């Protein structure tokens, strides 16, 4: 999630093998192995093969979309450039294969707006929490602010899927100091443990303090079921430390695919710990990004916001539909079939946030 310089009030390895089974499947591309693999992995590989054979649409869940951002109301930097178009943005997302979207909330105002959206569409959900750069909002009344977050979760259990966006951001200390960030990141872990909700985590240039807080709250992380470190742009060593902790996934978007160094990290991440996101309207894959050469899906785009049309994206404003480009970039970097990766990343997301298997849907 990217934060503008204004306040939220509007002011400035497969698990458990099984015995070899013999199954017949259509021959198309690489055949599904019949050796000892887990039933889950067999199912996902079989599903992805069918999609390649018969043109079945790939399915996505965007785990991080900032749908409450004013850009989706046509407002940029406080100036109205075009009519509100969130309804069009969402329709384009559903047509591209999005099955569910989790709205990222970074403060109480975000939470209320995200809940309003979520109750209008059964496919939309939200997080509840406070972004590290917004933690000053706790300071004037820490218990009161915490209680408001808590009440939003308690009253909306069917729509709140995670606590967050919370964590540490030492790249933007001008918005909130280290000590305040650390204090209220740790405080929000109590919410996750109480409601047994996974965490939607943010980490920028703060790996040591971030992991230290998680380590001393390991009991809470285990109680809440883990979480995802979203919009990951760190080093391979940082990623390995996150994954070694246990119960954590890594969320990838365009910002995770900028440089050749980023691409090398992505190449080495285990697929069973990856989730897809756009972090829209931010973090689109730009032509200068290392991952751009692997993108095959193109959308009609206008460069000037004032030239907006319902049929076009706006250059520089990412949309949930562009999650297909994130997948294509990752598949290209890893040199693996995108259909297989799509099925696996989709199931990873169901496992953490929805507790349902693809086969049961």
């Amino acid at each position: 999630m990217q934060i503008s310089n204004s306040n939220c009030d509007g002011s400035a390895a497969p698990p458990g093998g099984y015995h070899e089974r013999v199954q017949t499947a259509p021959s198309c591309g690489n055949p599904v192995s019949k050796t000892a693999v887990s039933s889950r992995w067999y199912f996902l590989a079989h599903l992805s093969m069918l999609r390649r054979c018969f043109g079945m649409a790939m399915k996505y869940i965007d785990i991080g979309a900032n749908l409450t951002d004013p850009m989706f109301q046509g407002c940029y930097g406080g100036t109205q450039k075009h009519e509100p178009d969130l309804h069009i943005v969402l329709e384009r997302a559903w047509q591209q294969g999005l099955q569910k979207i989790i709205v990222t909330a970074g403060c109480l105002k975000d939470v209320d707006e995200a809940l309003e959206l979520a109750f209008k569409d059964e496919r939309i959900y939200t997080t509840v929490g406070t972004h590290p750069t917004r933690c000053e909002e706790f300071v004037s009344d820490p218990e009161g602010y915490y209680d408001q977050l808590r009440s939003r979760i308690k009253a909306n259990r069917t729509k709140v899927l995670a606590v967050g966006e919370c964590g540490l951001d030492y790249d933007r200390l001008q918005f909130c100091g280290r000590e305040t960030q650390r204090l209220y990141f740790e405080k929000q872990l109590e919410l996750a443990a109480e409601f047994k909700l996974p965490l939607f985590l943010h980490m920028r240039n703060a790996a040591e303090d971030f992991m230290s807080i998680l380590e001393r709250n390991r009991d809470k992380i285990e109680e809440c079921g883990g979480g995802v470190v979203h919009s990951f742009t760190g080093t391979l060593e940082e990623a390995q430390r996150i994954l070694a902790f246990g119960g954590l996934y890594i969320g990838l978007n365009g910002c995770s695919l900028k440089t050749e160094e980023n691409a090398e990290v992505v190449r080495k991440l285990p697929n069973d710990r990856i989730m897809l996101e756009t972090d829209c309207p931010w973090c689109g894959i730009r032509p200068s990004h290392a991952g751009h050469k692997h993108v095959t899906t193109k959308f009609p785009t206008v460069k000037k916001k004032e030239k907006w049309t319902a049929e076009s994206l706006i250059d520089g404003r990412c949309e949930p539909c562009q999650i297909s480009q994130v997948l294509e970039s990752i598949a290209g970097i890893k040199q693996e079939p995108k259909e297989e990766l799509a099925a696996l990343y989709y199931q990873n997301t169901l496992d953490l946030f929805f507790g349902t298997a693809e086969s049961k849907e």
Side-chain angles (χ1 to χ4, degrees):
M1 180 179 183
Q2 301 291 322
I3 300 296
S4 60
N5 192 10
S6 60
N7 293 323
C8 268
D9 61 4
S11 61
Y18 69 116
H19 293 299
E20 177 176 334
R21 59 171 68 184
V22 178
Q23 301 215 8
T24 302
S27 177
C28 179
N30 294 326
V32 177
S33 172
K34 300 174 186 175
T35 57
V37 294
S38 75
S39 57
R40 176 180 181 231
W41 279 61
Y42 182 91
F43 173 79
L44 293 173
H46 185 70
L47 179 62
S48 67
M49 183 193 66
L50 289 175
R51 285 179 174 146
R52 291 199 304 273
C53 286
F54 303 114
M56 296 167 62
M58 287 180 288
K59 300 198 295 187
Y60 305 95
I61 300 172
D62 189 347
I63 66 163
N66 300 289
L67 298 185
T68 63
D69 192 279
M71 288 191 207
F72 294 120
Q73 299 303 316
C75 185
Y76 301 76
T79 303
Q80 197 72 32
K81 296 292 187 179
H82 58 79
E83 65 184 72
D85 66 341
L86 180 58
H87 61 296
I88 297 171
V89 168
L90 287 173
E91 183 56 36
R92 195 153 38 227
W94 310 136
Q95 290 177 2
Q96 192 63 20
L98 268 293
Q99 304 296 303
K100 309 175 198 294
I101 296 175
I102 305 174
V103 180
T104 304
C107 63
L108 279 170
K109 179 176 179 289
D110 285 353
V111 170
D112 290 339
E113 292 178 2
L115 284 168
E116 184 178 352
L117 281 175
F119 278 106
K120 290 178 180 177
D121 194 312
E122 63 182 5
R123 297 164 291 187
I124 297 178
Y125 301 85
T126 189
T127 67
V128 169
T130 305
H131 190 280
T133 63
R134 295 296 187 189
C135 282
E136 287 289 343
E137 296 189 14
F138 273 99
V139 174
S140 62
D141 183 11
E143 290 306 316
Y145 191 91
Y146 180 87
D147 287 345
Q148 288 190 70
L149 291 174
R150 186 178 181 278
S151 68
R152 300 305 195 277
I153 298 173
K154 189 174 182 179
N156 301 283
R157 295 306 305 275
T158 62
K159 283 296 185 177
V160 178
L161 294 186
V163 170
E165 178 177 2
C166 59
L168 300 175
D169 190 325
Y170 290 176
D171 280 343
R172 290 176 282 183
L173 294 172
Q174 68 271 30
F175 297 115
C176 186
R178 285 182 172 86
E179 185 176 348
T180 302
Q181 288 190 33
R182 289 194 292 263
L183 177 63
Y184 295 111
F185 172 31
E186 196 154 7
K187 183 68 174 174
Q188 290 179 81
L189 301 182
E190 296 176 16
L191 282 175
E194 177 184 355
F195 291 102
K196 293 181 171 51
L197 287 171
L199 289 156
F200 190 80
L201 296 163
H202 178 103
M203 184 191 76
R204 283 286 185 273
N205 194 25
E208 284 302 318
D209 285 352
F210 181 85
M211 293 307 303
S212 293
I213 289 172
L214 293 185
E215 287 288 355
R216 68 171 173 261
N217 289 276
R218 180 174 286 277
D219 58 334
K220 296 184 181 70
I221 309 303
E222 291 174 353
E223 194 169 352
C224 78
V228 57
V229 181
H230 102 107
S231 193
F232 185 78
T233 59
T235 66
L236 179 60
E237 292 73 23
E238 289 169 353
Q240 290 170 335
R241 190 172 176 188
I242 288 166
L243 297 178
F245 180 86
L248 298 177
Y249 294 81
I250 288 178
L252 300 178
N253 58 40
C255 289
S256 312
L257 304 162
K258 282 185 177 181
T259 68
E260 292 299 338
E261 291 78 12
N262 293 151
E264 187 59 28
V265 172
V266 169
R267 184 178 292 112
K268 294 180 179 179
L269 292 177
N271 288 326
D272 63 350
R273 308 313 293 176
I274 290 174
M275 294 183 187
L276 300 178
E277 57 176 285
T278 59
D279 207 22
C280 64
W282 317 102
C283 289
I285 301 178
R286 307 295 295 168
S288 59
H289 289 186
H292 186 268
K293 59 180 170 286
H294 302 294
V295 171
T296 57
T297 299
K298 308 294 183 181
F299 298 94
T301 303
V302 295
K303 289 191 174 296
K304 292 186 177 181
K305 304 169 184 69
E306 296 84 355
K307 300 292 186 180
W308 173 91
T309 71
E311 295 76 28
S312 300
L313 276 62
I314 296 171
D315 187 42
R317 186 187 74 166
C318 183
E319 293 190 14
C321 66
Q322 291 174 276
I323 199 165
S324 58
Q325 297 178 331
V326 178
L327 173 67
E328 289 162 0
S329 183
I330 296 170
I333 288 168
K334 287 178 169 285
Q335 296 186 322
E336 297 183 40
K338 63 183 180 182
E339 296 86 359
E340 292 182 13
L341 295 182
L344 182 54
Y345 300 160
Y346 187 83
Q347 187 64 51
N348 291 344
T349 309
L350 290 179
D351 290 345
L352 180 65
F353 291 115
F354 297 92
T356 35
E358 169 67 31
S359 58
K360 294 178 183 178
E361 284 207 325

